[in-house]
Amino acid sequence: MPSKAEVLAYLKDADGATARRDIARAFGVKGEARTELRAMLKEMDADGSIKVKPGKRIERAGTLPPLAPIDVMSVDDDGDLICMPAEWRGEGTPPIIRLSAKRAAKAKPAPGVGDRLLARLFPAGDDGYDADIIKAIGKGAHRFLAVYNKKRKGGVADPVERRAKDSFTIDDGDEGGAKDGDLVWVETKNARGYGPKKARIRGIAGHIDDKHAYSTIALANHGIPTVFPAAVLAEADKAKLPGFDGRTDLRDTPLITIDPADAKDHDDAVYAEPDEDADNQGGFRVIVAIADVSWFVKPDSELDKEAIKRGNSTYLPDRVVPMLPERLSNDLCSLRENEDRPCLAVEMILDSNGVKKRQTFMRAIMRSRAKLSYEEAQAIADGGKAAVGLKAIIHHLYAAYAARMKEREKRAPLDLDLPERKIILNKDGEVEKVIRRDRFDAHKVIEEFMILANVAAAEALERAKTPLIYRVHDTPDPEKLESVREYLETLDYSLVKGGSVRPANFNQLLKIAGERDQKEMVSEVVLRSQRQAIYDTDNVGHFGLNLARYAHFTSPIRRYADLTVHRALVKAFKLGENGQTEKEAKALSKIAEDISDLERRSIAAERESNDRYLAGFLEDRVGAEFDARIRGVTKFGLFVMLDETGADGFIPMRSIGAERFTFFEQEHSVIGDSTGGVFRLGQPVRVKLAEAAPLTGGLRFEMMSDPLPGATRRKGGGKPSKPGFGKKSKAAGDARAKAKKKQARRSASAAKNIPKKPKRRKGNAKPRRD
């Protein structure tokens, strides 16, 4: 007899609904055992884990057929269309369906939000699907997440999206079992005339009074799965620690873990000592040991399929949504203090200048000698009390780090040391305070050795000619770079021209900015010029770290990319079971693309959750004033970040000042039409909180600061005749004049190339504007 988890796993891989006899045949169930199977399937139908369709065909509850109508709900930052099923009969939240921008672009006409499509669906895990368009079938109902407020008859749904402005009426019979305060999935209904907008409830995601509601909204909006399927948990429960066969015994090497104080999973340990080789005077032997997740998560297993569907762990103020079940992430894979644990380790020999001479990868068994927080490690390094052996370990780690700093100074990676903040919750799940994360040398020690190990992995796999996924960070986009260069000229900074810009050029700017007390302002501008780091099988190097090759190897508990690198190393150096398969090697390009998307998804959910918690924290401080910094300038207004909490908010144009302000894109500034006063990117300002909306995470402010002095006014008022920026007005005026000439050339060029008005299509259909 199969278990329930095994039946669910079988149904997951089945192509559509399956007959009971097929299940019996697949598991070799015969005779009287068929009666037991029938009873078990009836139990599973009753508890909602399977669904019995007409004709007694069985499928997993909450699954979608291979062909189904879907509605386009939204477009993400990468142009992918986020869709939901047009019809959903399953329990809980409908699955998220992703239609890639590449596939959507092939359709004619291209689909947009609100369109209903007939699509072929491909499972992308238990909570999601990828889609391919068959044809457009009209307009579908718009769906969104909202809070349901029950009335005497029916109720009202208030959207949680920041962009939404309207509430929707829920008629009697359309509540879908929702109760007052429930977070619900709502689908719009066709409305006639000018009456209230109406909708129906199609699913329940939680309750607004739940202390985890802010994170629940963020996770639901982005389709991040929070529950592990039964088959995945069953596989994790069966996992066992490996023996010593073929493994190096590192238990006598005093490796230690150094992590945040609240860390539960420890996936890296470090050790350093002076190199005893007489030919390497002043050199070091460094070992970085990483949890051997590849031993437990076998290719194509249920654990593997779930891990690749999640891509990474997601970190929110109130919880961690892990990539792997806790049985692995917090137990068997975690390098716990004084417990034997399997690891994949790299031994690296450094010379006295911190240059890596060679490395050796091994599969090993280790035993962590100590579990330290960053604060504890720093205290010991600063002379605090600790056992003699532990003091020596820390001393050698810091000495090896000092040697690495010589190499780092020559390499000159981008030095953007932006402040990090952490939201601290009380026992009731409310924000107690927001703190700036202290950054110690202990952080830098661990970061440097992790970077070194990641480089070693990439170099070793390249030499072994084994396919791998790189972590790449391309050079800045030329157009963005030119825009940044022009803006910096208005502040009297110069940046090297052409395509030869290196991190060292930015570092020199930041050094000068620090001397002028403008480092945060310039850091914002430099950050905006950078491309986003992604995963790719094509190596373009890592611009920010100034490295020719780089891969993620050191965090396989929380990143799928690292797991693929571990498997590649196991295969390349013949380190035992569960190495890279031929199938995985061929799929690495697609895997890299997918996990890059999933990383962006997690970042967006983390940002949304933080915004809602901070808006809730500040709700009772409406009317208070705060120090802030301008983080974005648009034609609609200014985005600001509060110094105290790091909360982001918006100042509409109407709330900037008494005069009319005009937006100048090239200068990242708004300038007063009457006075020439300036508000620009990175500028410190004083703002007043006008509105806080925890449900959407929105904060609205009013400007309290005066603008920076600008150009002289025309006689009788009007726009400034000679725009500038106070003391640097000549440089600013020259830069603005240059920008205007450039814009005029672009406009003239565009005017010459305006296409002729297209002919009307047959049937007098208007040409589509995409």
Side-chain angles (χ1 to χ4, degrees), residues 46 54 72-73 119 170 221 229 237 304 372 380 407 475 505 542 609 744:
V72 181
M73 304 299 299
I170 307 295
N221 271 341
D237 288 340
D304 185 48
L372 299 178
I380 294 171
E407 189 277 339
T475 54
N505 301 126
H542 198 293
S609 182

Side-chain angles (χ1 to χ4, degrees), residues 302-507:
E302 293 301 317
L303 281 165
D304 185 48
K305 293 173 185 175
E306 182 69 13
I308 196 171
K309 180 185 73 174
R310 295 175 179 232
N312 50 260
S313 298
T314 302
Y315 294 83
L316 306 175
D318 64 329
R319 72 182 92 172
V320 175
V321 181
M323 184 179 78
L324 300 171
E326 287 192 11
R327 166 69 172 155
L328 297 183
S329 61
N330 293 355
D331 185 1
L332 297 182
C333 292
S334 187
L335 305 180
R336 289 181 169 183
E337 186 177 16
N338 296 322
E339 293 186 28
D340 291 355
R341 284 293 183 267
C343 64
L344 196 60
V346 57
E347 177 187 76
M348 297 172 286
I349 303 301
L350 311 182
D351 68 16
S352 58
N353 292 314
V355 177
K356 178 168 62 65
K357 299 179 67 175
R358 63 182 179 275
Q359 73 252 340
T360 304
F361 283 90
M362 66 193 87
R363 228 171 183 174
I365 298 290
M366 64 158 284
R367 182 181 296 163
S368 173
R369 193 63 54 88
K371 180 187 75 170
L372 299 178
S373 67
Y374 287 113
E375 292 84 354
E376 289 170 335
Q378 190 62 47
I380 294 171
D382 292 340
K385 293 182 179 180
V388 175
L390 190 53
K391 272 184 174 290
I393 295 169
I394 295 294
H395 172 75
H396 292 323
L397 282 171
Y398 275 67
Y401 166 72
R404 277 295 296 167
M405 285 303 95
K406 298 175 187 177
E407 189 277 339
R408 182 184 173 93
E409 285 175 10
K410 289 182 179 179
R411 176 164 52 90
L414 185 59
D415 187 20
L416 274 178
D417 195 9
L418 297 170
E420 291 185 28
R421 295 173 178 81
K422 183 177 181 180
I423 296 174
I424 305 297
L425 304 181
N426 60 25
K427 62 181 180 180
D428 296 322
E430 299 170 339
V431 179
E432 180 179 296
K433 57 184 176 180
V434 181
I435 61 171
R436 283 203 178 203
R437 292 180 186 267
D438 292 325
R439 185 165 171 79
F440 304 108
D441 282 345
H443 289 90
K444 298 175 183 178
V445 169
I446 297 303
E447 285 174 9
E448 189 58 35
F449 289 137
M450 295 306 108
I451 290 171
L452 188 62
N454 287 336
V455 171
E459 291 177 346
L461 290 173
E462 272 196 5
R463 281 199 286 268
K465 297 182 178 179
T466 303
L468 76 148
I469 292 175
Y470 295 93
R471 180 65 168 181
V472 300
H473 181 213
D474 207 349
T475 54
D477 178 83
E479 287 190 14
K480 282 188 177 180
L481 201 57
E482 182 61 25
S483 174
V484 166
R485 186 180 289 108
E486 290 176 358
Y487 174 65
L488 288 171
E489 285 177 3
T490 70
L491 301 176
D492 200 28
Y493 293 92
S494 61
L495 181 64
V496 62
K497 294 189 176 181
S500 58
V501 66
R502 304 301 307 158
N505 301 126
F506 287 122
N507 290 342

Side-chain angles (χ1 to χ4, degrees), residues 9-240:
Y10 171 79
L11 292 173
K12 176 184 175 183
D13 295 330
D15 186 13
T18 304
R20 190 172 59 216
R21 63 175 177 275
D22 293 331
I23 299 174
R25 190 179 298 120
F27 291 101
V29 179
K30 299 178 180 178
E32 294 182 1
R34 285 176 176 265
T35 304
E36 294 180 45
L37 177 63
R38 191 181 302 116
M40 185 177 72
L41 294 174
K42 189 174 286 188
E43 286 179 18
M44 295 174 72
D45 183 29
D47 65 26
S49 56
I50 65 172
K51 182 167 57 177
V52 180
K53 303 185 73 176
K56 295 189 176 180
R57 297 184 67 78
I58 300 166
E59 66 181 15
R60 291 177 66 215
T63 57
L64 293 171
L67 295 176
I70 62 174
D71 293 335
V72 181
M73 304 299 299
S74 62
V75 183
D76 70 9
D77 292 339
D78 301 304
D80 293 348
L81 304 184
I82 306 303
C83 312
M84 298 184 85
E87 296 295 332
W88 175 245
R89 301 293 182 227
E91 295 292 327
T93 305
I96 296 295
I97 302 166
R98 182 177 292 271
L99 175 59
S100 71
K102 191 180 294 184
R103 285 176 172 171
K106 294 178 182 178
K108 302 296 179 185
V113 174
D115 288 345
R116 177 163 289 180
L117 313 169
L118 181 62
R120 193 178 305 279
L121 305 181
F122 307 94
D126 295 290
D127 293 334
Y129 293 82
D130 288 331
D132 208 352
I133 300 174
I134 296 176
K135 64 177 181 179
I137 53 177
K139 291 290 181 182
H142 177 54
R143 296 190 189 193
F144 51 89
L145 197 63
V147 175
Y148 176 62
N149 296 302
K150 189 170 179 58
K151 304 295 182 183
R152 190 166 60 86
K153 289 187 177 181
V156 174
D158 295 314
V160 299
E161 281 290 332
R162 199 176 299 184
R163 293 168 294 181
K165 296 180 180 179
D166 299 313
S167 296
F168 290 78
T169 298
I170 307 295
D171 290 333
D172 281 336
D174 287 335
E175 305 98 326
K179 298 177 181 177
D180 190 57
D182 276 347
L183 282 167
V184 294
W185 285 105
V186 172
E187 178 182 86
T188 56
K189 293 170 65 175
N190 291 329
R192 296 179 180 178
Y194 298 96
K197 294 186 176 181
K198 295 190 175 184
R200 64 172 62 87
I201 293 173
R202 300 300 298 269
I204 300 172
H207 195 280
I208 194 60
D209 289 338
D210 183 350
K211 63 182 180 180
H212 303 299
Y214 297 148
S215 291
T216 299
I217 293 170
L219 294 168
N221 271 341
H222 292 279
I224 296 176
T226 58
V227 178
F228 286 99
V232 175
L233 294 174
E235 197 169 274
D237 288 340
K238 292 178 183 177
K240 295 180 180 178

